[in-house]
Amino acid sequence: MAHWMAWVRSPGPVGTAFISSLLLSWIALDGALINRDGILYVEVAQAMLEHGFALQRGGIDWQFLSLLMAGLSAAMGLAPETTGHLLNAFLLAGACSLLVAIVRRRQPEAAWVACLVVLAMPAYNGYRNELLREYGFWFFCMLAFWLAMRWEASGRWREAIVCQLALGIAALFRLEAVAFYPALMLWQAFGAPTGQRRQRVLMMGCVPLVGALLAVILFLTGVIAAPGRMIYYLDAANPLRTLQIIGEAAGRMSEYVFPSKYSREEAGYILFIGLLSVIPMKFLKMAGVFVVPLAYAFVAQPLRTVLSRWQPLPWAFLAYVLVLAAFVTHQFFLVGRYVSLLNLLAVPVAAAGLALLMERFPRWKALIVALALLTMAANVISFTPRKTHIVEAGRWLGANAHDAARVGVDNARLAYYAGWPASQAASLDRPALAQALASGRVDMVAIEAPRKDTGAEKWLEELRLKPVQRFANKAGDTVIVAVPAQP
């Protein structure tokens, strides 16, 4: 056991986090199906390989991930999906190792605990089997914060410039990264030594200030058009527009939901507070068992001590909370992976809290480690039967259906595994499929029927559709391929 532990510890906590993260990604990807967002990234990358590396019209207007996938595919001779997963695995491994490096820099005794926490936190580890642009966003944000901590100690321009460039690359994955520029500037405005604040604020903000000025000149002169994604974010960040949207929704809600006139008067406040509550609820839920050490870190130490130790991460946390608040009050929903960056930023505090718990309760150390390892395994290992029936059905459609436009599917994965581009396949829900059949736009449908879905057969009967093929997995979930019954 001693030799085994020495071998495990030989790469150090940072190297162990990197290698272990790659191993977890490999486990999570075993037999996993591509996610719906991943289909778009793969198809855009494939279009770039076939028609050149210019931006393609593929349903997304922020295509840096697809560009990287296409470039790696051309260089390595691999399929875009394979290069995408490979790229994501290394980016997430890099983000995990950077967080451990941050903890080792500020609290060396908690570095190994941080290695355990960063690999087991459910918030982002649960997405290892999906092809997402968040991985690049996470990695370059963590790289920027690590460089910011190095710059704080050295004060050199090199670290300051590279830190801001890293955030610029993060913004190529997700534009929300620009919110961290003012966070870094505020960090120095409030935390830099007296007499150096103006200089340090300029050092942390020179790149975004010059970039913003240049962008305004280019947009106003019409040299380039503002990206649609940027216009969308500016609209979401407009508080007047947010108040208008909430007011309209509150009016409809008060009419149909609240019976009392007093509650109707407060409908706007209820809706606004309810939407904002989604952020902490998702954050706590995705922290899993690490909610306890996260809270203990603030109980065992003064709040000022905790926040000052991990600067500039608390400023980044606050900035991203504001971004999420703008999004959820604009769109009225919030996907879990959007909140995951908050959990990443909280990893050092959770690691410090867990180290304090182990020190305070040494007899419980083995149980705590076992619980963390169990959580780590649960993030990447699934005992539910694999969805092989979707792959089999998709390949059957690709071999037997000669016109993709004449086949309707209710799951975009069926079209993907059939080898059809999303623009050619009719990916619709069941009511839309019924309309497409009635209008004669499609003459074959492939629908997914989970084991507990009792309405699939009834739907087929109502539309007088005859099943021609059925594909099932071990759990009893099926994909039914059907055509109109002959009179």
Side-chain angles (χ1 to χ4, degrees):
M1 180 63 70
H3 287 293
W4 185 82
M5 290 300 297
W7 180 81
V8 171
R9 289 175 174 269
S10 58
V14 176
T16 300
F18 187 86
I19 297 171
S20 300
S21 180
L22 290 178
L23 179 61
L24 290 173
S25 295
W26 176 71
I27 295 172
L29 286 171
D30 184 29
L33 298 184
I34 190 170
N35 55 304
R36 289 172 175 81
D37 286 352
I39 292 174
L40 290 177
Y41 303 138
V42 169
E43 290 188 349
V44 173
Q46 188 63 45
M48 289 179 178
L49 289 172
E50 295 174 357
H51 306 294
F53 282 79
L55 297 184
Q56 305 292 324
R57 295 182 179 273
I60 52 175
D61 58 358
W62 214 252
Q63 302 177 356
F64 187 64
L65 175 60
S66 296
L67 183 64
L68 289 179
M69 290 164 55
L72 285 174
S73 295
M76 303 174 65
L78 299 174
E81 182 183 348
T82 303
T83 56
H85 283 303
L86 189 65
L87 181 65
N88 281 177
F90 276 93
L91 287 171
L92 183 55
C96 291
S97 59
L98 283 168
L99 278 167
V100 177
I102 287 173
V103 175
R104 186 177 63 178
R105 184 177 188 86
R106 295 289 176 86
Q107 191 172 343
E109 66 275 12
W112 278 106
V113 179
C115 180
L116 182 64
V117 173
V118 79
L119 294 173
M121 181 78 74
Y124 47 89
N125 285 294
Y127 294 104
R128 288 182 179 273
N129 62 324
E130 297 190 12
L131 187 54
L132 302 168
R133 54 195 172 106
E134 272 76 8
Y135 297 111
F137 173 53
W138 296 336
F139 170 74
F140 285 101
C141 285
M142 295 306 113
L143 177 62
F145 301 141
W146 177 73
L147 288 167
M149 291 180 178
R150 287 171 56 93
W151 167 80
E152 184 185 26
S154 66
R156 293 181 297 185
W157 275 98
R158 183 179 64 183
E159 279 84 0
I161 298 297
V162 176
C163 166
Q164 295 165 75
L165 292 178
L167 277 183
I169 299 175
L172 294 176
F173 287 94
R174 292 203 69 92
L175 192 58
E176 296 95 318
V178 299
F180 297 129
Y181 285 123
L184 292 177
M185 296 171 71
L186 286 171
W187 164 46
Q188 288 304 301
F190 286 91
T194 304
Q196 301 181 24
R197 291 182 179 178
R198 182 178 300 177
Q199 176 188 357
R200 284 182 168 257
V201 168
L202 289 175
M203 288 182 72
M204 274 285 100
C206 58
V207 171
L209 291 175
V210 172
L213 179 61
L214 181 61
V216 169
I217 294 174
L218 293 175
F219 294 154
L220 292 179
T221 56
V223 176
I224 60 174
R229 181 74 61 171
M230 184 178 296
I231 296 174
Y232 163 77
Y233 279 122
L234 290 175
D235 184 51
N238 183 354
L240 296 179
R241 176 61 177 158
T242 299
L243 291 175
Q244 179 187 355
I245 293 173
I246 290 179
E248 294 173 354
R252 294 191 298 270
M253 188 172 69
S254 63
E255 182 179 353
Y256 296 105
V257 177
F258 297 122
S260 171
K261 68 174 184 177
Y262 301 105
S263 57
R264 291 175 186 174
E265 294 174 356
E266 307 296 333
Y269 298 104
I270 295 172
L271 180 59
F272 181 72
I273 299 301
L275 288 171
L276 292 183
S277 69
V278 174
I279 300 172
M281 291 303 296
K282 284 189 175 293
F283 170 76
L284 295 174
K285 178 182 178 182
M286 294 192 301
V289 296
F290 298 105
V291 167
V292 176
L294 191 61
Y296 189 74
F298 293 98
V299 172
Q301 297 174 312
L303 177 63
R304 183 182 294 272
T305 302
V306 176
L307 296 181
S308 61
R309 173 178 292 166
W310 303 112
Q311 294 292 349
L313 299 186
W315 281 106
F317 191 96
L318 175 61
Y320 198 64
V321 167
L322 295 177
V323 169
L324 294 176
F327 181 88
V328 75
T329 54
H330 184 76
Q331 287 290 346
F332 288 19
F333 79 93
L334 195 61
V335 179
R337 58 186 167 89
Y338 296 169
V339 187
S340 295
L341 183 64
L342 291 181
N343 296 85
L344 272 166
L345 293 170
V347 162
V349 177
L354 188 60
L356 289 173
L357 275 175
M358 290 180 174
E359 182 180 351
R360 176 67 178 81
F361 304 101
R363 294 183 179 181
W364 294 88
K365 182 182 295 186
L367 180 60
I368 292 172
V369 172
L371 188 59
L373 292 175
L374 184 63
T375 304
M376 185 190 306
N379 291 330
V380 297
I381 299 175
S382 175
F383 293 101
T384 59
R386 297 178 179 177
K387 298 182 178 181
T388 54
H389 59 300
I390 294 179
V391 180
E392 294 169 359
R395 290 173 179 171
W396 185 91
L397 289 172
N400 295 275
H402 303 294
D403 187 357
R406 302 290 300 172
V407 181
V409 298
D410 65 351
N411 187 335
R413 291 169 174 168
L414 293 169
Y416 175 80
Y417 288 110
W420 301 335
S423 58
Q424 294 182 12
S427 298
L428 308 166
D429 57 17
R430 289 186 188 175
L433 284 177
Q435 295 178 4
L437 284 164
S439 63
R441 288 193 294 116
V442 299
D443 49 28
M444 178 183 288
V445 297
I447 63 170
E448 191 177 3
R451 178 171 53 89
K452 297 181 180 180
D453 183 4
T454 59
E457 296 291 344
K458 183 179 179 181
W459 185 81
L460 293 173
E461 292 177 3
E462 290 176 350
L463 296 179
R464 297 182 180 179
L465 295 174
K466 179 180 68 175
V468 294
Q469 285 289 335
R470 293 177 184 269
F471 303 90
N473 66 351
K474 294 181 179 179
D477 302 324
T478 61
V479 171
I480 305 172
V481 181
V483 297
Q486 297 297 326

